[in-house]
Amino acid sequence: MIVAGVGFRRGAAADEIVALVEQALARAAMARHELDRLATVEPLATLSTFAEAARRLAVTPVCVAEQALAAAAPRGRTHSGRSMAAHGVGSVAEAAALAAGGPRSELILERIASASVTCALARGEIRS
């Protein structure tokens, strides 16, 4: 299971989220059909932009609770002061990908960024 974790400013467009996820997949030498989930933190998951991006990517949108985000954060690699101030984690994208992937998930691409969006990829546990 491959999870794209994203963080974004409230004014970000779905187009920018989709474009950065596609860029992340290309950097990881993965095809778009390999992506299973798009994850973000709870306050952002309620925005129509997130749902639209998941729809365009044809993946399941995953809402990550703040507690799960914080629990996954130590496994992340990026430490952004802005993300720490806003959400208490070094990278929303990395923590969301890891949390949605499960406790044994691993980052396969560290956070990348565009003007308003961040994205990271994790390989998650295969659940039956």
Side-chain angles (χ1 to χ4, degrees):
M1 170 181 53
I2 303 300
V3 180
V6 294
F8 55 94
R9 294 185 184 144
R10 291 189 181 271
D15 288 342
E16 188 176 356
I17 295 171
V18 170
L20 193 63
V21 169
E22 289 175 338
Q23 183 180 348
L25 290 167
R27 285 191 186 185
M30 302 186 88
R32 189 169 170 174
H33 74 270
E34 294 179 82
L35 183 65
D36 299 295
R37 297 178 178 182
L38 183 68
T40 196
V41 66
E42 203 164 17
L44 298 177
T46 62
L47 301 176
S48 61
T49 300
F50 178 70
E52 177 63 16
R55 185 191 68 75
R56 290 186 194 177
L57 291 164
V59 296
T60 303
V62 177
C63 173
V64 177
E66 294 277 351
Q67 185 176 6
L69 193 77
R75 295 187 289 134
R77 297 183 193 136
T78 303
H79 300 287
S80 160
R82 181 182 201 142
S83 182
M84 283 298 293
H87 299 284
V89 297
S91 168
V92 167
E94 290 180 6
L98 290 165
R104 292 190 302 260
S105 61
E106 297 180 355
L107 280 180
I108 54 175
L109 182 72
E110 292 180 24
R111 181 193 78 166
I112 62 171
S114 62
S116 301
V117 180
T118 61
C119 179
L121 299 176
R123 184 177 315 281
E125 302 170 32
I126 298 174
R127 297 180 183 143
S128 51

